[in-house]
Amino acid sequence: MGSIWELDFYSRPILDENQKKVWEVLVCESPSDTRTKIDSLFRYAQYCPSTEVNSVTLRQALEEAISKAGEPPKRIRFFRRQMNNMITKACKDLSIPAQPSRRTLILNQWLEQRMEEVYPNEPGYQAGTNPSVRVENPSPQRLPDALEGQQWAFVTLQAKELEEMHEWEIGFGEGFPLEMAQVSPEDRIPGILIFSPRALPIAAWMSGLELAWLKFDDSQGARLLLETGFNESWIVASIKNPQTLAEAKGFEQAKQKANGVHFISIQSDPQAESFTGFWLLQEVNLP
């Protein structure tokens, strides 16, 4: 079946002749792995008047995008919580699963580029009128007991090693081209290795969560949190050991130096030569 698409349907900093906000449908293809050429990814854009903002208009725009792409996507990711009902309805009408997700890396970059290079050249452009997405953060949830890793460790890999990710034996996972994250081949990319005899159910569970990023949080005790979906958060580990705490802080610092890029690896044991799960992630600010 087709690829994964990223979708945004929202107002832009442009006013029409009636002084009403112009809306826009943006669709782009998610990269599948580290080999993906960014310029080869499918993209589709269509403006929409505010009087036609509904699921029917969105469905029609998606139908047009599918016609241009040649095949429908296997699912669609979107990050705007306030558009949940409309996007879900339009996708349901097309029998395409819609998934709330902060893993919209290409879409985020495309929106930033259009904010700088496209919208300012449109008639009716109004600078500074599109606020960033506000994400409410509920209390992090505990992982189900059966899904907690028995061992885990912080590690780093050079970016050029991750570029060979497509050659590794991986059960569940997803990557993206590191060129889009603006990291050099020699940069050290931090990550966490999780070992468990239940590696398969852990990886399968994570694969259905729309992983966003991993972060160290010390606002309510030292914790390693996995961010997923719109705003879900899971406690991967509570950290009490001073050495592990220092490593967790080092992970967060290394992640910032790597422009937010990091990874999660799941293996049955430290001697395993394959990965039950491996995800390349990037923490970003949503546009």
Side-chain angles (χ1 to χ4, degrees), residues 56-197:
V56 174
T57 296
L58 178 56
R59 188 201 72 221
Q60 292 170 343
L62 287 173
E63 288 173 335
E64 176 69 16
I66 290 169
S67 174
K68 291 183 179 296
E71 64 176 352
K74 59 184 177 183
R75 66 179 187 269
I76 290 178
R77 292 170 166 152
F78 65 100
F79 66 88
R80 292 197 195 271
R81 184 168 189 154
Q82 60 269 54
M83 300 302 294
N84 178 57
N85 291 343
M86 195 176 297
I87 291 175
T88 301
K89 175 67 165 61
C91 291
K92 183 179 180 181
D93 290 345
L94 294 171
S95 300
I96 300 171
Q99 293 183 310
S101 177
R102 283 174 279 177
R103 191 182 175 90
T104 52
L105 303 179
I106 288 291
L107 180 61
N108 298 346
Q109 288 193 352
W110 194 20
L111 273 167
E112 290 178 3
Q113 180 262 326
R114 292 179 71 79
M115 285 290 184
E116 294 176 2
E117 302 175 11
V118 177
Y119 306 142
N121 296 318
E122 297 284 5
Y125 171 69
Q126 302 289 309
T129 57
N130 267 44
S132 298
V133 172
R134 295 180 60 186
V135 179
E136 298 177 0
N137 294 312
S139 298
Q141 308 172 63
R142 281 192 56 193
L143 286 175
D145 291 341
L147 297 175
E148 292 184 354
Q150 291 190 338
Q151 294 177 271
W152 52 277
F154 292 107
V155 296
T156 63
L157 291 173
Q158 279 193 307
K160 61 184 177 183
E161 295 178 85
L162 288 166
E163 290 175 353
E164 301 173 357
M165 179 179 163
H166 63 277
E167 299 177 359
W168 303 345
E169 185 180 342
I170 299 172
F172 297 90
E174 191 172 354
F176 57 83
L178 288 170
E179 63 172 304
M180 63 177 277
Q182 299 179 330
V183 296
S184 68
E186 289 72 33
D187 285 341
R188 304 298 300 188
I189 307 300
I192 181 174
L193 301 181
I194 299 174
F195 304 109
S196 172

Side-chain angles (χ1 to χ4, degrees), residues 77-79 99-105 108 135 137 210-213 215 226-233 282 284 286:
R77 292 170 166 152
F78 65 100
F79 66 88
Q99 293 183 310
S101 177
R102 283 174 279 177
R103 191 182 175 90
T104 52
L105 303 179
N108 298 346
V135 179
N137 294 312
E210 283 298 312
L211 305 189
W213 53 76
K215 70 177 183 180
L226 177 62
E227 301 290 320
T228 67
F230 274 143
N231 61 351
E232 295 89 1
S233 186
Q282 184 182 22
V284 297
L286 294 174

